[in-house]
Amino acid sequence: MEYLSQECYDQLVAELNHLNKVELPKAQDELAEARAKGDLSENFEYHAAKRELRRIMGRIRFKTNVLQFARVLDTSNLSSDVVGVLRKVEFTNLTNNTTMTYTIVNQHEANLKEGKISIKSPIGEALAGKKVGDVAEAALPNGSIIKLRIDSITIEQ
C-alpha cells in the first residue's frame, strides 16, 4: 500500500496519461518508421526506437503499479500526535545541535529542495511513530548514527 498526497496522486495520473497518449504513440511511430528502412540487423535507428519503446513501456508499468496500490491520505483525518506520512516534523540533531524541519512523505514525493523526505529514508524510518520529545536514532548510509529529538509535529496541508 502506498500512501500519497492528493497532489502526488494527481501528478502520477497526469504522467501516466502523458506516457500513454503522447510518448507511447510517438515511440511506436518511430519504431514503425525505422522498421520500414530495411535491414534490421544493422539499423541503429530501429534498435534505438525499440529501446525507447521498452523504456516507455517500463515507465507505464511502474506508474500503473504504483497507482494500483496507492491510497490518497485525507489530511483532515490525520493526527499530529505521532510522526507519519504528510506530517511536518521539526527536530534537533543532538550531535551538532542543528534544528531542521522536514515533511515526511512517500518516496515518490521526496524532494530535499522542497523540504520533503521519504518515510523510507533512514531519518524518516527513525522518526516514524515517535512523539514530541522522543529521541530517535538514525543510522546513516555512511555508518554513523545520529540522535534526533522531535520538537514539534504538524499536519501538512
Side-chain angles (χ1 to χ4, degrees), residues 63-142:
K63 301 278 183 197
T64 301
N65 194 35
V66 169
L67 289 170
Q68 179 182 356
F69 296 103
R71 299 293 177 266
V72 176
L73 282 178
D74 180 6
T75 56
S76 65
N77 294 333
L78 296 178
S79 165
S80 61
D81 294 342
V82 297
V83 176
V85 176
L86 298 184
R87 272 70 160 214
K88 185 176 272 191
V89 183
E90 182 178 326
F91 56 90
T92 302
N93 180 341
L94 298 176
T95 308
N96 60 12
N97 247 1
T98 305
T99 300
M100 297 171 258
T101 303
Y102 287 105
T103 300
I104 308 295
V105 295
N106 183 285
Q107 72 252 19
H108 304 290
E109 296 180 77
N111 184 334
L112 281 177
K113 290 180 183 175
E114 294 176 6
K116 297 178 178 182
I117 60 171
S118 170
I119 189 78
K120 294 185 179 181
S121 69
I123 291 175
E125 286 181 343
L127 295 174
K130 301 284 192 278
K131 297 179 179 183
V132 173
D134 287 354
V135 174
E137 289 188 1
L140 301 180
N142 67 3

